[in-house]
Amino acid sequence: QVQVVESGGGLVQAGGSLRLSCTASGLTFADYAMGWFRQVPGKEREVVSCINWDGISTYYADSVKGRFTISKDNAKNTLYLQMNSLKPEDTAMYYCAAITGWGMRATKFRHPWGQGTPVTVSS
């Protein structure tokens, strides 16, 4: 049974930074492309960023390009999202997942979503 755990969210003022982390049991990150998603109540979950299995290729949604950096440490089985210059519109619940597809068309692989980690950016 795969269990994904996201952490690192919190309350931050606009312009601030947060670093999200994601670990999982039953899922070897080195075997998969991984992605960060976010969801605001009442809206669909959207792709924020993707990274391929070896950490070389990355994708960023236009809304976060230049501000967010995705990385993964396969030895630690951990995925990261460094978020800088945060804006109130970044406020959302953030989730990580192994993915199929890429970019805007990335979708979660066959494992349950984690609980997510909340990010709130105050203006």
Side-chain angles (χ1 to χ4, degrees):
Q1 179 78 13
V2 174
Q3 188 169 12
V4 176
V5 179
E6 301 92 347
S7 62
L11 173 64
V12 64
Q13 288 188 332
S17 297
L18 286 172
R19 189 194 195 201
L20 306 186
S21 298
C22 169
T23 62
S25 58
L27 184 70
T28 302
F29 286 12
D31 293 340
Y32 298 94
M34 300 291 298
W36 284 99
F37 299 76
R38 67 186 180 187
Q39 188 171 25
V40 175
K43 292 190 176 182
E44 288 190 1
R45 204 170 323 223
E46 63 175 1
V47 177
V48 174
S49 182
C50 306
I51 189 166
N52 73 335
W53 67 274
D54 61 1
I56 293 178
S57 295
T58 57
Y59 162 84
Y60 297 95
D62 287 344
S63 58
V64 306
K65 201 172 294 182
R67 300 187 297 120
F68 290 11
T69 303
I70 190 171
S71 61
K72 63 191 302 213
D73 186 333
N74 287 334
K76 294 183 179 179
N77 213 46
T78 303
L79 180 71
Y80 303 99
L81 186 68
Q82 178 66 44
M83 306 189 296
N84 298 329
S85 302
L86 281 161
K87 303 177 180 180
E89 50 264 45
D90 295 318
T91 295
M93 189 69 80
Y94 284 71
Y95 304 85
C96 78
I99 58 174
T100 59
W102 189 253
M104 292 176 58
R105 295 187 173 84
T107 58
K108 181 182 62 67
F109 198 65
R110 292 190 300 270
H111 65 76
W113 287 106
Q115 294 288 334
T117 187
V119 172
T120 303
V121 184
S122 63
S123 57

